[in-house]
Amino acid sequence: MTIKNDVKTGLVLLIVITLGATFLSTGTVSANRTQGVDWSRYQTAQGEFGYANDTFMLAQIGGYTAKTGLYPQTTYASQIKAARAKDLHAHSYFWWEDITARQQVDKLLAYVLPKVKTPHDSIIAIDFEAGPAAKATNTKLLVYAMNKIKAKGYTPMLYSSKYFLLVHVQLETILKQFGACLWVAGYRDMNLATTPDYHSFPSLPGVAIWQFTSNYVAGDLDGNVDLLGVTHKGYIANKPTQKHVTQKISKPQTKSSKSKNRTKGVHKPYLTSLLKKFFVFYSNLCLMILFLVLN
């Protein structure tokens, strides 16, 4: 009798552990998830690379602030060339600060768009993490700019932290027009992180790229994960389709003391339908075995 009970107990534990492991694995695995880096002038003219399995990079073209006006990144062109030499999918972004009128947007785009060295359909992201105007004004001008980027044949995206986006942008409006277009920063901590920890995912609808660390290698390098395959755009014929996002967006709970201090959230996994079906089947199978063992 003792041996029989021990066998039952062992089988129950095995089933519970296996079921839990299956759930965790299906919550964090996706064939589209590749990693890459992003650069500005601080990563030198030739860029600073991460790891051999990285597939993409984003380089800053330049930008605008009220203090500096329009400014260039003299490292942009050489960084794109260096990335392409290593067969990385190269994309672009520019800094957006103190923008309050369409005239400023027009001047900024007229300045940065002719400098783009990446293919049509590649990403051009707006880096918006400082100098906000009113929420409605920010949203209106961002939509205006993203539409102009799209009209030029590129893929518009919006970069910031979760907190900054929730406080300063009407995300429902952005996502309704551009689908999953967010490149969001959210760090578990400031320690070295070579792969994303999905427990620190900054949960928002519409996230296509997650910047999960600013310490990707020893030093100061941002690490990113492409959640939906968007970084293939401009380089692979069969490009991912961005779906409109309609989930309700929660209000921010805490304020970041600095735009680089990203708020954290709970990961909501991007499960494929196949993985979902497999998990349901496996769960039912385990429960059947559990029922038989206990009886």
Side-chain angles (χ1 to χ4, degrees), residues 3-15 285-295:
I3 294 175
K4 187 176 180 180
N5 288 337
D6 288 345
V7 170
K8 285 184 177 182
T9 303
L11 284 171
V12 171
L13 287 174
L14 179 61
I15 291 167
L285 179 62
C286 288
L287 290 173
M288 260 172 78
I289 295 172
L290 182 61
F291 175 80
L292 292 173
V293 168
L294 292 177
N295 288 276

Side-chain angles (χ1 to χ4, degrees), residues 63-235:
Y64 175 87
T65 74
K67 184 177 180 179
T68 64
L70 296 169
Y71 71 86
Q73 291 275 285
T74 56
T75 52
Y76 170 74
S78 60
Q79 286 179 347
I80 295 295
K81 185 176 180 180
R84 294 301 298 134
K86 289 188 175 290
D87 204 29
L88 295 180
H89 293 173
H91 301 276
S92 310
Y93 72 95
F94 61 89
W95 186 266
W96 171 295
E97 183 178 341
D98 305 319
I99 301 291
T100 59
R102 280 195 176 191
Q103 292 85 345
Q104 291 173 296
V105 176
D106 290 336
K107 288 181 180 179
L108 176 55
L109 294 180
Y111 182 74
V112 298
L113 291 182
K115 294 178 171 60
V116 174
K117 301 292 184 183
T118 55
H120 277 167
D121 208 35
S122 63
I123 296 165
I124 298 181
I126 299 173
D127 185 347
F128 181 40
E129 52 185 301
K135 193 170 188 176
T137 301
N138 295 329
T139 305
K140 183 178 179 180
L141 294 176
L142 286 167
V143 168
Y144 176 69
M146 292 172 77
N147 274 322
K148 288 180 79 71
I149 291 169
K150 186 176 181 179
K152 289 292 185 180
Y154 297 101
T155 299
M157 293 191 71
L158 175 60
Y159 169 90
S160 196
S161 68
K162 175 182 177 179
Y163 173 81
F164 196 90
L165 288 171
L166 290 176
V167 172
H168 299 296
V169 180
Q170 295 168 342
L171 282 181
E172 296 91 343
T173 301
I174 300 290
L175 299 180
K176 183 177 180 180
Q177 294 204 35
F178 301 102
C181 63
L182 301 182
W183 171 20
V184 177
Y187 309 154
R188 177 188 62 195
D189 50 43
M190 303 308 291
N191 296 324
L192 181 70
T194 60
T195 56
D197 176 2
Y198 289 97
H199 293 94
S200 60
F201 182 79
S203 298
L204 280 176
V207 179
I209 302 175
W210 173 26
Q211 186 186 87
F212 62 88
T213 184
S214 62
N215 197 9
Y216 192 42
V217 298
D220 184 18
L221 183 65
D222 295 335
N224 304 270
V225 58
D226 177 358
L227 301 170
L228 303 178
V230 67
T231 58
H232 297 312
K233 280 182 167 285
Y235 296 93

